[in-house]
DNA sequence: GATGAATGAGCTTTCATTCAT
DNA sequence: TATGAATGAAAGCTCATTCAT
């Protein structure tokens, strides 16, 4: 067809014989999602350029579209991927029969905390909060699959504690939210403002302080 | 990502006669910042178009540049404006001498809560969290002017409580963070995920549950 | 916001004081459609770049999107605009009472030909043919508003000629198509292959030859 | 513009056993050209993706480049291939000595028509018209090899008819074009707008009406 | 030969910003 | 001051073409 110039740069023939690219079909989506997660988390969805995601994943822009329909799809895929990690965790931590409600809360919290630190799952809250209005489907999904079940689990433990006389009379649902708030805050803060703080705190000490105060606050007087 | 909805108000079909009063020029920047705050809060900085801000403020795009150097400046101005509201609040609530540490915490919390609900100040945490990495200066400013002083104030009260034997032995700084977390979470959640929840909670009951548990958790056994 | 460099080229201060652009709100759409029509006609819809259209209309790419939603919209607008020219023509040529069918055919043809040559209307057939499958709505519209009425008009005249004994027995609908074919071909050819022909023909002589043969062919023997 | 439809054929769910015959390599180019012709004809050259051509030819994108240098080459090859079919036709219809010019015109037309309907040759006019400006070499080739010889052949018959007194005095070149126009229009229309018409016409009746009128129009009065 | 993952140039589209009015 | 038409840089996305497999 008329008027198409080939502007190929002559490749340096002395350059090392590295292939221009390598096939990585199976690994690519994960590599891309990892890169995108890091950038979306830091800069937000809109402010992140696909070019930067591509560069961080060591591919070119075009490659992104082999694996994801568009930028939105990439975002949603990555959230779903992060959420799916919860399933395997849930299965692994099923056998949590404890003698007391407070022990159960301790067990759950420590267990979760390890998981949140090791996986991408703990990065989702900051992302969800920032993009909630722009991705209502994802927000609703996260609510239904993560937030509500987690609250319910904690509320159930607290209910049992109240029923057995171990805990004081409180609304278990509200108490569950209060119990989860410091964990939620830690995750949100960590991926946003915390890098700008001069003094870093020790996450574990923070959580232990939280558990000490809150469980103490839930316990009925002996 | 959600398409940007055109939410233009239906234009008044009646030929408006000479208005009885004319908007004072000096109100324009505030109107623009209000419009921008609402949209930045909902959609984030990058995903919000100046055109939408202008429409919400009933001006045209060009007008924004009369009052603000650029989009960044508008964002920073609006955060500073929100932060400045804290000063007048601080002054109003200075005389907070209480007989006990727990009463002081209750007083401070109730006082703050009223303020956070009435002003734009309570909208800042969600915004700061979302845009932290993109506006490091603002983030640092917010840390220094808001976060650190607030934590310090709470930590001081807790320190006094510990010193007087009213509270148990905890790290006051960590305890202050734990104490603030449920409030922080409430504000963050309210402007992001909460609109998607089927069951709304009553903020006041939530805070009271928090205070009940946390202050109970801080109190030394009688 | 972080990381946005201003890369404005310093304008030559000695350059003439021509304004960078001039407001032409009312004229722009027509100018753009004219440019687009010429390029779509020559290269086809897909092969035409918006950049070229903009250049031909002496605007920048961005300006196109002030007046048209997207490239498709520009195409469709321009076809509709071309079709709308037919309405004013129709009105102007309404009083066509003739003594004989053959005179009516001559009158209509000459009239149409002048119109087709003077307006953009005559450029539509080539465009419609090339893009028919890609713009089914436009194709259907053109069929209903232009093709079918035009055929019907000619068929009606032929019918009357047959009824009065002036013309031989033929299917008026098919005869109408045969009658229109040379005109259609001329228009299609003119904007595609004709520029590559070494010997140009005189359009008027071609049409007169057509009329001479075809009307002669329709006339019943005396 | 119409979205590109994925028209993948449902894959055969039965594990195909060893086929009784294997496709000969030499058929591949033809299969690819067939697929490409169909899609170029419908959507135009630029709007047709090589991926769609490959899918229709049951090969993959890369395979196209084994047989054709690039997309342009595929287009040109396919036009040349279509044109080459004319040669074998010409040879088969050489012996066309007739007693009268009108009989010769009838014979030629009927002969051509059969050929145009059976081969891909009749699809070229629509393609050439649409892509003329983008492929000047092809356009020139088609003019020289097809258009001009065909016109010349018809003009020659008409000349002889005039010389023998069988036909009226007309410019044979122009008359040839007029004579060919309905055939040309039929072919062009068939592969563009015709699929959108509610009432299909019978091609043969149309051609017969054309021959009836036009030959009648050429014949000198007895 | 055949594949299809990867490339990269180039396209359409967006939108913060400018500036003639 | 206020407007909004126009700009132009940059974003998202497409797709012909290449090349490791």
């Amino acid at each position: 067809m008329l008027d198409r110039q080939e502007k190929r740069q002559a490749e340096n023939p002395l350059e090392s014989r590295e292939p221009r690219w390598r096939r990585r079909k199976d690994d690519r989506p994960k590599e891309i999602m990892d890169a995108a997660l890091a950038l979306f988390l830091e800069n937000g969805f809109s402010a992140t350029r696909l070019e930067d995601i591509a560069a961080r994943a060591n591919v070119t822009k075009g490659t992104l579209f082999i694996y994801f329909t568009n930028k939105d799809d990439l975002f949603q895929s990555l959230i779903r991927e992060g959420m799916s990690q919860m399933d395997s965790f849930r299965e692994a931590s099923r056998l949590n029969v404890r003698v007391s409600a407070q022990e159960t809360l301790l067990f759950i919290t420590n267990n979760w905390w390890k998981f949140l630190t090791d996986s991408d799952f703990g990065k989702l809250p900051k992302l969800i909060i920032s993009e909630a209005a722009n991705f209502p489907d994802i927000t609703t999904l996260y609510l239904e699959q993560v937030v509500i079940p987690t609250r319910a689990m904690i509320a159930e433990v607290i209910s049992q504690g109240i029923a057995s006389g171990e805990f004081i009379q409180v609304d278990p649902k509200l108490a569950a939210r209060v119990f989860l708030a410091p964990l939620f805050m830690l995750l949100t803060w960590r991926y946003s403002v915390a890098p700008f703080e001069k003094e870093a705190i020790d996450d574990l000490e923070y959580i232990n302080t939280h558990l000490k105060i809150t469980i103490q606050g839930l316990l009925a007087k002996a």
Side-chain angles (χ1 to χ4, degrees), chain A:
Chain A
M1 195 168 165
L2 230 51
D3 269 350
R4 291 268 164 98
Q5 305 95 330
E6 299 288 289
K7 302 182 195 166
R8 192 149 300 285
Q9 303 93 320
E11 283 177 68
N12 189 341
L14 301 175
E15 209 72 29
S16 71
R17 271 257 125 273
E18 280 289 300
R20 279 208 289 155
W21 43 265
R22 199 174 293 282
R23 294 174 91 108
R24 312 212 44 191
K25 186 184 191 335
D26 295 344
D27 300 336
R28 285 278 188 246
K30 189 68 172 63
E31 291 168 354
I32 293 167
M33 286 194 290
D34 284 351
L37 173 56
L39 293 170
F40 287 159
L41 191 63
E42 183 163 354
N43 312 310
F45 176 80
S46 288
T48 300
R49 294 168 2 195
L50 290 178
E51 189 151 14
D52 293 337
I53 295 172
R56 192 181 237 260
N58 291 314
V59 295
T60 57
K61 266 188 295 179
T63 302
L64 304 184
F65 291 87
I66 297 172
Y67 298 100
F68 303 93
T69 308
N70 51 35
K71 198 183 176 187
D72 272 41
D73 179 42
L74 172 53
F75 180 81
Q76 304 199 24
S77 300
L78 142 186
I79 299 279
R80 283 172 213 275
E81 164 67 19
M83 283 174 57
S84 75
Q85 298 176 5
M86 188 181 57
D87 301 333
S88 51
F89 165 69
R90 274 248 182 75
E91 228 149 296
S93 64
R94 194 182 298 284
L95 317 175
N96 50 353
V97 187
R98 299 291 128 181
V99 288
S100 67
Q102 66 170 306
E103 271 184 274
T104 309
L105 287 180
L106 284 169
F107 172 81
I108 291 174
T109 305
N110 287 322
N111 231 21
W112 266 83
W113 191 248
K114 226 169 292 166
F115 166 58
L116 290 169
T117 302
D118 295 351
S119 69
D120 290 334
F121 189 77
K123 297 170 182 169
L124 300 188
K126 194 267 175 179
L127 257 188
I128 299 281
I129 281 176
S130 297
E131 308 300 337
N134 293 324
F135 292 92
D137 290 353
I138 286 292
T139 305
T140 301
L141 187 72
Y142 189 77
L143 264 176
E144 288 171 0
Q145 310 268 29
V146 179
V147 176
I148 290 172
T150 305
R151 283 181 191 154
M153 179 179 64
I154 302 296
E156 172 61 18
V157 176
I158 292 174
S159 281
Q160 290 174 5
I162 295 169
S164 71
E166 184 185 354
F167 285 167
I168 59 174
Q169 293 290 337
V170 284
D171 178 327
K173 286 185 172 179
L174 293 175
R177 291 195 187 208
V178 169
F179 184 86
L180 288 167
L183 302 169
F184 166 84
M185 169 159 191
L186 184 46
L187 291 173
T188 306
W189 204 253
R190 177 194 274 179
Y191 299 110
S192 56
V193 182
F196 296 89
E197 298 231 40
K198 280 169 190 150
E199 291 183 64
I201 60 164
D202 183 275
D203 289 350
L204 208 53
E205 286 183 26
Y206 169 79
I207 289 177
N208 285 334
T209 303
H210 158 48
L211 289 171
K212 184 174 175 184
I213 294 171
T214 309
I215 289 182
Q216 167 76 12
L218 283 168
L219 284 175
K221 315 259 156 100

